[in-house]
mmCIF file of all heavy atoms in Angstrom:
data_model
loop_
_atom_site.group_PDB
_atom_site.id
_atom_site.type_symbol
_atom_site.label_atom_id
_atom_site.label_comp_id
_atom_site.label_asym_id
_atom_site.label_seq_id
_atom_site.Cartn_x
_atom_site.Cartn_y
_atom_site.Cartn_z
ATOM 1 N N LYS F 21 30.008 23.560 0.496
ATOM 2 C CA LYS F 21 30.768 24.761 0.854
ATOM 3 C C LYS F 21 31.991 24.386 1.694
ATOM 4 O O LYS F 21 33.098 24.879 1.468
ATOM 5 C CB LYS F 21 29.862 25.723 1.622
ATOM 6 C CG LYS F 21 30.517 27.008 2.023
ATOM 7 C CD LYS F 21 29.527 27.863 2.789
ATOM 8 C CE LYS F 21 30.230 29.034 3.448
ATOM 9 N NZ LYS F 21 29.339 29.783 4.320
ATOM 10 N N ILE F 22 31.801 23.485 2.650
ATOM 11 C CA ILE F 22 32.906 23.033 3.502
ATOM 12 C C ILE F 22 33.936 22.283 2.671
ATOM 13 O O ILE F 22 35.138 22.496 2.799
ATOM 14 C CB ILE F 22 32.386 22.138 4.651
ATOM 15 C CG1 ILE F 22 31.554 22.967 5.619
ATOM 16 C CG2 ILE F 22 33.538 21.471 5.377
ATOM 17 C CD1 ILE F 22 30.806 22.132 6.623
ATOM 18 N N ALA F 23 33.483 21.396 1.785
ATOM 19 C CA ALA F 23 34.385 20.578 0.981
ATOM 20 C C ALA F 23 35.199 21.422 0.002
ATOM 21 O O ALA F 23 36.352 21.100 -0.302
ATOM 22 C CB ALA F 23 33.605 19.510 0.234
ATOM 23 N N ASP F 24 34.631 22.504 -0.509
ATOM 24 C CA ASP F 24 35.312 23.334 -1.495
ATOM 25 C C ASP F 24 36.281 24.333 -0.869
ATOM 26 O O ASP F 24 37.163 24.842 -1.545
ATOM 27 C CB ASP F 24 34.296 24.094 -2.361
ATOM 28 C CG ASP F 24 33.486 23.144 -3.242
ATOM 29 O OD1 ASP F 24 33.949 22.007 -3.459
ATOM 30 O OD2 ASP F 24 32.399 23.530 -3.695
ATOM 31 N N SER F 25 36.141 24.621 0.398
ATOM 32 C CA SER F 25 36.967 25.658 1.021
ATOM 33 C C SER F 25 38.319 25.109 1.484
ATOM 34 O O SER F 25 38.513 23.904 1.607
ATOM 35 C CB SER F 25 36.236 26.269 2.209
ATOM 36 O OG SER F 25 36.166 25.326 3.260
ATOM 37 N N ASN F 26 39.249 26.017 1.725
ATOM 38 C CA ASN F 26 40.551 25.639 2.286
ATOM 39 C C ASN F 26 40.443 25.341 3.777
ATOM 40 O O ASN F 26 41.393 24.879 4.383
ATOM 41 C CB ASN F 26 41.566 26.758 2.062
ATOM 42 C CG ASN F 26 42.029 26.817 0.626
ATOM 43 O OD1 ASN F 26 41.981 25.820 -0.079
ATOM 44 N ND2 ASN F 26 42.464 27.987 0.208
ATOM 45 N N GLU F 27 39.288 25.631 4.330
ATOM 46 C CA GLU F 27 39.067 25.404 5.759
ATOM 47 C C GLU F 27 39.210 23.926 6.107
ATOM 48 O O GLU F 27 39.713 23.576 7.167
ATOM 49 C CB GLU F 27 37.657 25.899 6.120
ATOM 50 C CG GLU F 27 37.442 26.089 7.592
ATOM 51 C CD GLU F 27 36.083 26.701 7.881
ATOM 52 O OE1 GLU F 27 35.735 27.711 7.266
ATOM 53 O OE2 GLU F 27 35.381 26.133 8.740
ATOM 54 N N LEU F 28 38.783 23.071 5.197
ATOM 55 C CA LEU F 28 38.878 21.630 5.438
ATOM 56 C C LEU F 28 40.345 21.183 5.483
ATOM 57 O O LEU F 28 40.730 20.400 6.350
ATOM 58 C CB LEU F 28 38.112 20.866 4.355
ATOM 59 C CG LEU F 28 37.853 19.391 4.622
ATOM 60 C CD1 LEU F 28 37.078 19.204 5.923
ATOM 61 C CD2 LEU F 28 37.092 18.776 3.473
ATOM 62 N N ASN F 29 41.175 21.709 4.564
ATOM 63 C CA ASN F 29 42.606 21.383 4.586
ATOM 64 C C ASN F 29 43.257 21.869 5.869
ATOM 65 O O ASN F 29 44.103 21.193 6.450
ATOM 66 C CB ASN F 29 43.317 21.990 3.374
ATOM 67 C CG ASN F 29 43.000 21.234 2.100
ATOM 68 O OD1 ASN F 29 42.701 20.043 2.146
ATOM 69 N ND2 ASN F 29 43.059 21.916 0.981
ATOM 70 N N LYS F 30 42.872 23.053 6.319
ATOM 71 C CA LYS F 30 43.402 23.588 7.571
ATOM 72 C C LYS F 30 43.007 22.690 8.737
ATOM 73 O O LYS F 30 43.803 22.426 9.635
ATOM 74 C CB LYS F 30 42.909 25.012 7.804
ATOM 75 C CG LYS F 30 43.533 25.670 9.019
ATOM 76 C CD LYS F 30 42.977 27.071 9.225
ATOM 77 C CE LYS F 30 43.552 27.754 10.432
ATOM 78 N NZ LYS F 30 43.726 26.973 11.620
ATOM 79 N N PHE F 31 41.774 22.200 8.722
ATOM 80 C CA PHE F 31 41.311 21.290 9.769
ATOM 81 C C PHE F 31 42.145 20.018 9.785
ATOM 82 O O PHE F 31 42.571 19.552 10.852
ATOM 83 C CB PHE F 31 39.824 20.958 9.569
ATOM 84 C CG PHE F 31 39.340 19.843 10.452
ATOM 85 C CD1 PHE F 31 39.173 20.047 11.813
ATOM 86 C CD2 PHE F 31 39.075 18.589 9.935
ATOM 87 C CE1 PHE F 31 38.735 19.016 12.634
ATOM 88 C CE2 PHE F 31 38.641 17.562 10.751
ATOM 89 C CZ PHE F 31 38.467 17.777 12.092
ATOM 90 N N PHE F 32 42.408 19.448 8.597
ATOM 91 C CA PHE F 32 43.214 18.228 8.520
ATOM 92 C C PHE F 32 44.631 18.483 9.027
ATOM 93 O O PHE F 32 45.209 17.653 9.725
ATOM 94 C CB PHE F 32 43.254 17.692 7.088
ATOM 95 C CG PHE F 32 41.938 17.134 6.608
ATOM 96 C CD1 PHE F 32 41.569 17.259 5.283
ATOM 97 C CD2 PHE F 32 41.073 16.481 7.468
ATOM 98 C CE1 PHE F 32 40.364 16.747 4.825
ATOM 99 C CE2 PHE F 32 39.863 15.969 7.031
ATOM 100 C CZ PHE F 32 39.510 16.096 5.693
#
Side-chain angles (χ1 to χ4, degrees):
K21 181 181 168 187
I22 292 169
D24 293 340
S25 70
N26 285 335
E27 196 175 310
L28 193 58
N29 286 333
K30 186 182 179 319
F31 170 72
F32 291 146

